[in-house]
């Protein structure tokens, strides 16, 4: 094979060539079914804990049952005396906290100290899973509990880092002098990512000291560094494989305790070790989303134009953790308001580590901002859509940066039309028996991010293309869209492109997180293909501008060759390297949309059923209409969970997670999900990525819960400010509305 | 404990710890990893297989209890080149994202159609006597034991509706 060519691009200026519009295979945007689909539906796709090399031993984690203190002893002798037990492992390299996304270094380590209830403190390895489990669950542990455990949010010490505060103009004066205003506080509960595949790792070491870890991780280029650092070995000595990942949603951004535990045990035992976290371990020992308290102060002039916007929030995390739920992500740019205050307080508690869960910041942040906007619309006497449209800023209200593509107003208008918004009535006016029906709206917005990414593309002798990158597909559709991009660029039908992912031996992709996968790794594939096309031109002796590639043929002027002929026995390979650049400072870039929800609220029980939802989104170029739609649907249903059911409960006495299983932590089930309509308003964003796409994986959850909260208000006049809106809270509100005479008791069934 | 399991039509002689669940027997002892473990507590449905044609949570079933019964797993319903109509419909309707809950969804859906055919009512059926029409609501309710955190639910219902419609 000839030497691999490298094509680099750093995004310091917009790429207005729109390369994907110049090609002619016709794959981009099409609703191509996933190439990985047949393996998934037939059960042959292998996830992390499923390929067990000969002689694999089974490990089960031991958890701490205090909130803070020292582990005085693990009764290793009794455990190893039990049948089939091969060893007990612990130590200062064990992870205490899971790694945050993109950490690129080991997280807090050391199993002898306990920082939260449920923290992994050891690993029992046995010949069989049953042997290891029994010994782990009966392990004798003694502690020296600390007397200063901080488990109660109300008494916890807090910090207000300067970098996370903003004070512009004079919000107090603006509020005092405003024509209209609201000053309301919203609270949300902690959530869990709860991916269906629990975290699992299979570790094996070879004679040269190279560790191969089959894991369930989202960002392998970072995970490799984190794991190597945790183990104290060179990054080059670690290979991570994750061709299929059973969901991540943030919880698999950074390495979790099982990866390090499995690696340590496998090294000591000189045999492969698999550690699959139990569902309970996942709830307690991987990251959670912080609970939030958010005071919203919004005020307008007489025309409903925002003059002030305040967003003061409180979140929590373990002492020393740098991550804190960035609730004001969209607050910075979504609406007007020259007087602005953003406050951020982090309470330090000995509770499971907080980190990124799908749309960190926006998901709970927009529950508050978008419900507060609904309240503001009412005091202004404006339709909530009109209020939002009047407050779309001309430039970023804090630093004056111009916006990239932004179809927020268009999404709201299109949605209003499709949803039948004009039929919305006043609260309490639409009734079907004991059900009160209401509609709600919310804006959707998610900051557009990109990340460094590389991918290699090889045009092979048989006229097919191979794409290689350590990028992951966590359900997002990476296999599909990279197939489409390579097929489009090289003129190949989808079945002549092979995409291989999830192996750190391949060039490092962006990883899956922050909705940046498609725009970043997709750009890398596009760049690699451009270089391959140039090589094809050289071989054919034609100008790049004259080349057309379609259906496995390369054509220029009078020349027409099959790709097999062009390649001969010398495959053409190129690597594309994409880097974000200064365009991220030159433009405010985000994906936008509008959420609509119709709910039925039972006046007798307070139960809320979502009857239908609509999401209208604009996220740059839509690469695959089918997988994009699925991403949006998934996010919107997460919004149902956030608005109505999900609540990770911590015991205020010792901080333990009370509902650490799927029976007690309520993710939405099939019957909770109504019919959902999705529409895309297409646009091309030249400033973010050379393929003109923007992030879409998290957009669906940004604002969908608020549309539901607003629909509840429209149904029954009850304003829920403490999410989730469980029946007890809704019913209490209904009773007070009835007592105040604002809601008829509705007995005329 | 010696036991013989009949899985996807072939017999397997196994010597198992009595604590081994059917799910772990499939995944760890027989290499049939199509059945997934999402909770190990009967709370998610990822491990759904068919035992004598009825859907069960393999994580709540001990392997040794299955002697003399016919177990069908996702691998027994179809293979990538020869998918069952339900498997095909899931691909066509994008009835999955990460794919982890998918084998359980498909086994569950396959058996669910049979239950409906036999006239079993559900929580949302208005009439407990007559054969229920498989509306979207009926399908959703009957599939609510299979969690999907990717929340492909509307697409899952589309896929099942498609198969139910063509079988009608
Ligand atoms: S693994 Fe059996 S129900 Fe969850
Ligand atoms: S497809 Fe990911 S959990 Fe269902």
């Amino acid at each position: 094979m000839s030497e691999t060519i490298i094509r680099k691009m750093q995004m310091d200026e917009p790429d207005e060539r729109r390369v994907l519009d110049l090609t002619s295979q016709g794959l981009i945007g099409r609703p191509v079914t996933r190439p990985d689909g047949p393996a998934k539906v037939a059960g042959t796709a292998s996830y992390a804990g499923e390929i067990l090399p000969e002689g694999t031993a089974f490990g089960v984690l031991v958890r701490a049952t205090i909130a803070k203190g020292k582990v005085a002893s693990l009764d290793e002798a009794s455990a190893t005396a039990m049948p089939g037990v091969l060893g007990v492992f612990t130590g200062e390299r064990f992870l205490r906290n899971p790694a945050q996304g993109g950490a690129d270094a080991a997280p807090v380590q050391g199993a002898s100290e306990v920082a939260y209830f449920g923290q992994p403190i050891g690993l029992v390895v046995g010949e069989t899973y049953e042997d290891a489990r029994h010994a782990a669950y009966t392990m004798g542990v003694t502690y020296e509990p600390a007397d200063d455990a901080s488990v109660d949010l109300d008494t916890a010490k807090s910090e207000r880092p300067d970098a996370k505060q903003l004070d512009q103009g004079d919000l107090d004066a603006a509020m005092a002098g405003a024509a209209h205003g609201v000053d309301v506080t919203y609270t949300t509960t902690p959530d869990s990512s709860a991916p269906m595949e629990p975290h699992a790792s299979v570790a094996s070491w070879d004679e040269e000291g190279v560790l191969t870890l089959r894991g369930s991780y989202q960002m392998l280029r970072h995970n490799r560094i984190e794991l190597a650092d945790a183990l104290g070995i060179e990054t080059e000595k670690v290979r991570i494989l994750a061709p299929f990942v059973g969901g991540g949603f943030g919880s698999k951004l950074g390495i979790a305790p099982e990866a390090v535990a499995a690696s340590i045990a496998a090294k000591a035992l000189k045999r492969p070790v698999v550690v699959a976290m139990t569902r309970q371990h996942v709830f307690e020992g991987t990251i959670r989303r912080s609970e939030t308290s958010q005071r919203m102060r919004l005020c307008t002039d007489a025309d409903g134009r925002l003059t002030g916007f305040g967003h003061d929030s409180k979140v929590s995390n373990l002492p020393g953790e740098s991550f804190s739920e960035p609730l004001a992500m969209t607050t910075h740019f979504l609406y007007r308001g020259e007087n602005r205050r953003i406050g951020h307080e982090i309470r330090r508690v000995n509770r499971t580590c907080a980190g990124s869960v799908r749309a960190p910041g926006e998901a709970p942040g927009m529950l508050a901002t978008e419900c507060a906007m609904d309240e503001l619309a009412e005091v202004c006497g404006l339709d909530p859509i009109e209020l939002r449209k009047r407050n779309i800023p001309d430039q970023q209200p804090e630093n004056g940066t111009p916006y990239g593509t932004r179809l927020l107003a268009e999404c709201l208008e299109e949605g209003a039309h499709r949803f039948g918004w004009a039929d919305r009535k006043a609260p309490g006016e639409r009734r079907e028996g004991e059900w009160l029906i209401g509609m709600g709206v919310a804006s959707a917005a998610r900051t557009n991010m990109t990340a460094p990414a590389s991918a290699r593309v090889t045009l092979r002798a048989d006229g097919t293309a191979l794409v290689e990158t350590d990028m992951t597909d966590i359900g997002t559709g990476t296999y599909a869209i990279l197939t489409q991009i390579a097929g489009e660029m090289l003129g190949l039908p989808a079945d002549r492109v092979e995409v291989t992912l999830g192996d750190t031996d391949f060039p490092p992709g962006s990883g899956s997180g922050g909705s940046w996968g498609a725009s970043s790794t997709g750009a890398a594939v596009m760049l690699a293909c451009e270089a391959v096309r140039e090589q094809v031109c050289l071989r054919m002796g034609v100008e790049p501008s004259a080349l057309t590639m379609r259906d496995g043929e390369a054509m220029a002027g009078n020349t027409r060759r099959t790709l097999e002929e062009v390649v001969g026995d010398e495959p053409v390979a190129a690597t594309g390297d994409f880097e974000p650049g200064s365009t991220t400072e030159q433009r405010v870039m985000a994906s936008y949309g509008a959420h609509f929800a119709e709910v039925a609220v039972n006046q007798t029980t307070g139960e809320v059923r979502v009857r239908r939802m609509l999401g209208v989104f604009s996220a740059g170029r839509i690469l695959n209409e089918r997988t994009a739609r699925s991403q949006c649907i998934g996010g919107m249903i997460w919004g149902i969970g956030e608005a109505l059911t999900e609540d990770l409960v911590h015991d205020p006495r010792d901080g333990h997670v009370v509902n650490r299983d799927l029976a007690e932590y309520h993710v939405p089930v099939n019957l909770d999900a109504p019919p959902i309509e999705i529409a895309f308003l297409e646009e091309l964003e030249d400033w973010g990525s050379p393929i003109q796409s923007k992030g879409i994986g998290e957009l669906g959850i940004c604002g969908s819960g608020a549309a539901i909260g607003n629909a509840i208000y429209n149904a029954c006049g009850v304003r829920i400010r403490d999410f989730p809106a469980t029946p007890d809270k809704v019913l209490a509100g209904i009773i007070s509305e009835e007592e105040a005479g604002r809601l008829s008791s509705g007995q005329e069934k | 404990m010696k036991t013989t399991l009949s899985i996807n039509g072939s017999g397997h002689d196994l010597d198992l710890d009595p604590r081994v669940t059917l799910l772990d027997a499939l995944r760890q002892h027989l290499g049939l990893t199509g059945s997934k473990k999402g909770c190990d507590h009967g709370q998610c449905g990822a491990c759904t297989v068919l035992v004598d044609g009825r859907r069960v949570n393999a994580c709540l079933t001990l392997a040794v209890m299955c002697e003399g019964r016919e177990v069908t797993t996702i691998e027994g319903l179809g293979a990538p080149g020869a998918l069952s109509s339900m498997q095909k419909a899931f691909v066509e309707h994008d009835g999955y994202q990460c794919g982890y809950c998918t084998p359980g969804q498909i086994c569950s859906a396959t058996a669910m159609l049979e239950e409906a055919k036999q006239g079993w009512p559900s929580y949302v059926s208005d009439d407990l006597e007559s054969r229920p029409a498989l509306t979207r609501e009926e399908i959703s309710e009957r599939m609510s034991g299979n969690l999907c955190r990717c929340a492909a639910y509307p697409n899952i219902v589309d896929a099942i509706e498609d198969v139910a419609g063509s079988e009608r």
Side-chain angles (χ1 to χ4, degrees):
Chain A
M1 198 192 285
S2 50
E3 207 172 298
T4 305
I5 298 146
I6 298 175
R7 169 62 51 92
K8 286 186 195 292
M9 175 185 278
Q10 179 159 344
M11 212 64 199
D12 287 326
E13 53 190 51
D15 182 357
E16 287 160 353
R17 298 173 302 147
R18 302 192 171 172
V19 173
L20 289 181
D21 289 335
L22 305 176
T23 50
S24 54
Q25 188 61 30
L27 275 174
I28 293 299
R30 287 246 320 278
V32 171
T33 58
R34 297 174 198 246
D36 44 321
K40 283 178 174 171
V41 299
T44 56
S46 287
Y47 296 80
E50 300 185 340
I51 296 182
L52 304 181
E54 191 62 32
T56 300
F58 293 80
V60 174
L61 293 166
V62 179
R63 62 194 269 270
T65 53
I66 60 167
K68 188 178 179 202
K70 280 192 189 326
V71 177
S73 70
L74 283 178
D75 187 359
E76 193 180 329
S78 305
T80 45
M82 290 170 80
V85 172
L86 298 167
V88 175
F89 301 90
T90 180
E92 297 318 295
R93 289 204 179 275
F94 260 60
L95 297 197
R96 189 178 307 158
N97 302 354
Q100 298 288 350
D104 274 349
V108 179
Q109 291 174 276
S112 59
E113 297 270 344
V114 176
Y116 58 95
F117 200 111
Q119 174 192 315
I121 51 172
L123 180 79
V124 178
V125 180
E127 284 292 348
T128 69
Y129 174 61
E130 292 74 22
D131 292 335
R133 181 181 60 190
H134 188 55
Y137 288 5
T138 52
M139 169 72 71
V141 185
T142 59
Y143 301 97
E144 289 164 22
D147 52 15
D148 62 345
S150 163
V151 288
D152 187 351
L153 292 169
D154 295 332
T155 56
K157 288 201 186 87
S158 63
E159 296 159 18
R160 299 181 68 90
D162 288 344
K164 297 182 179 181
Q165 324 294 327
L166 172 92
D167 205 349
Q168 170 182 318
D170 187 342
L171 181 63
D172 293 330
M175 285 289 290
H180 306 290
V182 294
D183 179 352
V184 287
T185 298
Y186 280 81
T187 54
T188 66
T189 49
D191 293 331
S192 177
S193 292
M196 288 311 299
E197 179 201 22
H199 299 52
S201 287
V202 185
S204 49
W205 296 80
D206 71 11
E207 264 101 72
E208 270 88 63
V210 173
L211 167 67
T212 300
L213 188 106
R214 215 167 241 286
S216 187
Y217 286 104
Q218 296 177 224
M219 302 207 293
L220 305 194
R221 69 186 299 163
H222 302 290
N223 305 137
R224 187 184 184 207
I225 300 169
E226 292 150 11
L227 181 56
D229 190 29
L231 296 169
I233 61 176
E234 287 159 41
T235 305
E236 290 62 42
K237 298 268 184 197
V238 174
R239 180 183 182 197
I240 301 185
L241 297 168
F244 290 98
V245 178
F249 313 112
S251 71
K252 297 170 180 170
L253 287 172
I255 52 162
E258 94 296 337
V260 174
S263 303
I264 289 171
K267 177 135 209 195
L269 292 169
K270 297 190 172 48
R271 58 191 279 194
V273 171
V274 57
V275 179
M277 288 184 132
T278 63
R279 178 53 63 186
Q280 288 72 13
H281 291 149
V282 174
F283 274 106
E284 294 180 320
T286 71
I287 55 111
R288 67 177 171 102
R289 192 198 298 282
S290 173
E291 71 294 324
T292 76
S293 166
Q294 304 175 62
R295 180 178 180 198
M296 305 301 310
R297 278 178 291 172
L298 313 182
C299 58
T300 71
D301 63 16
D303 293 332
R305 264 172 241 284
L306 282 159
T307 51
F309 207 110
H311 193 171
D312 271 293
S313 56
K314 290 182 191 167
V315 299
S316 73
N317 208 344
L318 283 162
E321 281 289 324
S322 61
F323 176 90
S324 64
E325 187 81 22
L327 290 159
M329 285 282 275
T330 48
T331 306
H332 292 296
F333 65 83
L334 189 55
Y335 299 121
R336 289 178 198 281
E338 55 276 22
N339 300 291
R340 312 177 71 77
R341 188 171 313 155
I342 291 171
H344 192 68
E345 180 176 324
I346 308 157
R347 294 178 281 197
R348 296 298 176 188
V349 284
N350 296 107
R351 292 186 176 187
T352 294
C353 189
S356 296
V357 176
R358 200 175 195 174
E362 286 95 338
M366 291 186 76
L367 258 181
T369 53
E370 290 301 306
C371 287
M373 283 293 279
D374 204 64
E375 298 202 53
L376 184 65
E378 184 164 35
V379 299
C380 292
L382 283 175
D383 182 279
I385 293 177
E386 180 56 32
L387 175 72
R388 286 176 171 83
K389 278 165 51 185
R390 279 186 199 180
N391 285 294
I392 297 174
D394 302 325
Q395 53 194 10
Q396 209 270 21
E398 293 165 14
N399 57 26
T401 310
Y403 287 91
T405 51
R406 180 178 48 157
L407 296 179
L408 174 58
E410 291 80 354
C411 288
L412 287 162
E413 283 162 11
E414 174 72 15
H417 172 67
R418 284 175 181 251
F419 202 66
W421 183 251
D423 297 337
R424 190 176 76 127
K425 298 205 166 44
E429 283 189 5
R430 199 173 146 205
R431 172 186 295 283
E432 292 175 15
E434 61 183 10
W435 295 92
L436 294 158
I437 317 298
M439 290 187 204
V441 68
S443 299
R446 168 73 182 159
T447 302
N448 186 59
M449 293 185 268
T450 49
S454 303
R456 182 166 54 231
V457 175
T458 308
L459 202 52
R460 297 186 287 200
D462 61 357
T464 63
L466 173 68
V467 177
E468 296 165 301
T469 163
D470 83 353
M471 178 63 186
T472 48
D473 186 332
I474 62 173
T476 38
T478 313
Y479 282 106
I481 59 138
L482 297 188
T483 297
Q484 288 170 278
I485 293 168
E488 184 62 46
M489 290 295 296
L490 301 177
L492 288 169
D495 62 4
R496 285 175 65 179
V497 178
E498 183 188 349
V499 174
T500 52
L501 302 176
D503 182 344
T504 53
D505 279 357
F506 298 149
S510 58
S512 304
S515 301
W516 57 56
S519 299
S520 309
T521 310
V525 170
M526 188 280 273
L527 293 168
C529 290
E530 268 199 304
V532 168
R533 285 174 67 102
E534 283 171 16
Q535 291 303 304
V536 168
C537 289
L538 282 179
R539 290 189 187 189
M540 291 175 68
V542 301
E543 282 299 307
S545 59
L547 179 72
T548 299
M549 296 178 86
R550 185 169 57 233
D551 294 331
E553 289 186 327
M555 293 156 278
N558 301 332
T559 327
R560 171 188 287 256
R561 308 255 294 273
T562 66
L563 291 186
E564 288 94 324
E565 287 164 359
V566 175
V567 175
D569 49 16
E570 221 183 314
V572 188
T575 300
D577 272 345
F578 171 80
E579 286 274 346
S582 63
T583 55
T584 55
E585 283 136 42
Q586 297 173 54
R587 287 290 179 280
V588 177
M589 283 183 277
S591 300
Y592 292 93
H595 290 286
F596 291 80
E598 182 178 291
V599 304
V601 179
N602 189 298
Q603 193 169 351
T604 312
T605 64
E607 181 188 3
V608 178
R609 305 294 311 173
V610 183
R611 303 218 302 190
R612 59 189 181 106
M613 292 177 96
L614 163 69
V616 183
F617 301 111
S618 63
R621 190 192 295 279
I622 300 300
L623 298 164
N624 181 323
E625 201 269 337
R626 185 187 308 262
T627 53
R629 179 177 171 273
S630 290
Q631 286 285 287
C632 293
I633 287 177
M636 288 169 75
I637 295 173
W638 270 61
I640 297 177
E642 210 185 15
L644 300 180
T645 61
E646 292 184 40
D647 179 359
L648 194 71
V649 179
H650 294 266
D651 188 319
R653 294 166 306 175
D654 58 11
H656 86 271
V657 176
V658 176
N659 51 347
R660 55 192 188 109
D661 64 36
L662 292 169
E664 301 297 329
Y665 181 83
H666 296 149
V667 306
V669 304
N670 201 315
L671 194 60
D672 293 325
I676 297 180
E677 183 187 348
I678 304 289
F680 294 113
L681 299 188
E682 205 159 343
E683 57 177 10
L684 298 176
E685 175 56 86
D686 295 324
W687 292 76
S689 162
I691 61 173
Q692 284 80 39
S693 56
K694 293 193 284 193
I696 202 162
E698 296 162 300
L699 186 57
I701 189 180
C702 301
S704 61
I708 294 168
N710 295 338
I712 294 172
Y713 178 75
N714 180 243
C716 61
V718 176
R719 179 60 71 182
I720 297 295
R721 298 198 186 95
D722 175 22
F723 287 101
T726 45
D728 53 323
K729 297 176 197 167
V730 177
L731 188 58
I734 287 174
I735 291 168
S736 48
E737 286 302 294
E738 287 173 353
E739 282 171 1
R742 287 189 293 264
L743 186 63
S744 82
S745 66
Q747 293 314 321
E748 74 277 16
K749 277 170 209 162
Chain B
M1 221 173 135
K2 292 210 189 309
T3 186
T4 303
L5 295 182
S6 176
I7 296 157
N8 302 327
S10 41
H12 300 268
D13 294 320
L14 294 165
D15 190 1
L16 294 177
D17 187 315
R19 295 171 294 183
V20 174
T21 62
L22 175 58
L23 180 59
D24 287 333
L26 294 170
R27 285 170 63 83
Q28 293 171 5
H29 297 263
L30 295 165
L32 291 170
T33 54
S35 306
K36 304 301 180 195
K37 188 186 283 190
C39 70
D40 220 14
H41 278 53
Q43 299 169 343
C44 76
C47 63
T48 307
V49 298
L50 312 184
V51 176
D52 293 336
R54 285 177 52 179
R55 45 180 174 166
V56 303
N57 290 333
C59 71
L60 288 189
T61 309
L62 292 172
V64 294
M65 291 159 62
C66 294
E67 192 157 82
R69 307 177 71 184
E70 181 55 38
V71 179
T72 306
T73 68
I74 190 72
E75 291 92 345
L77 292 183
L83 299 175
S84 74
S85 56
M86 189 64 79
Q87 288 168 321
K88 276 190 200 141
F90 268 67
V91 174
E92 196 47 47
H93 292 277
D94 216 36
Y96 53 65
Q97 291 181 33
C98 75
Y100 199 76
C101 73
T102 312
Q105 301 277 0
I106 290 172
C107 285
S108 189
T110 303
M112 183 274 282
L113 290 187
E114 229 16 73
E115 292 161 16
K117 254 186 220 152
Q118 289 169 16
W120 296 20
S122 83
Y123 157 73
V124 298
S125 308
D126 289 328
D127 175 359
L128 301 186
E129 304 289 327
S130 63
R131 189 178 145 180
L134 270 189
T135 58
R136 286 188 77 88
E137 194 186 22
E138 281 280 1
I139 293 173
S140 284
E141 161 56 19
R142 290 161 190 265
M143 292 301 294
S144 283
N146 290 85
L147 304 183
C148 176
R149 187 53 158 168
C150 298
Y153 299 128
N155 295 353
I156 290 170
V157 177
D158 286 345
I160 298 171
E161 237 185 352
D162 194 352
V163 176
S166 59
E167 281 183 1
R168 217 170 270 147

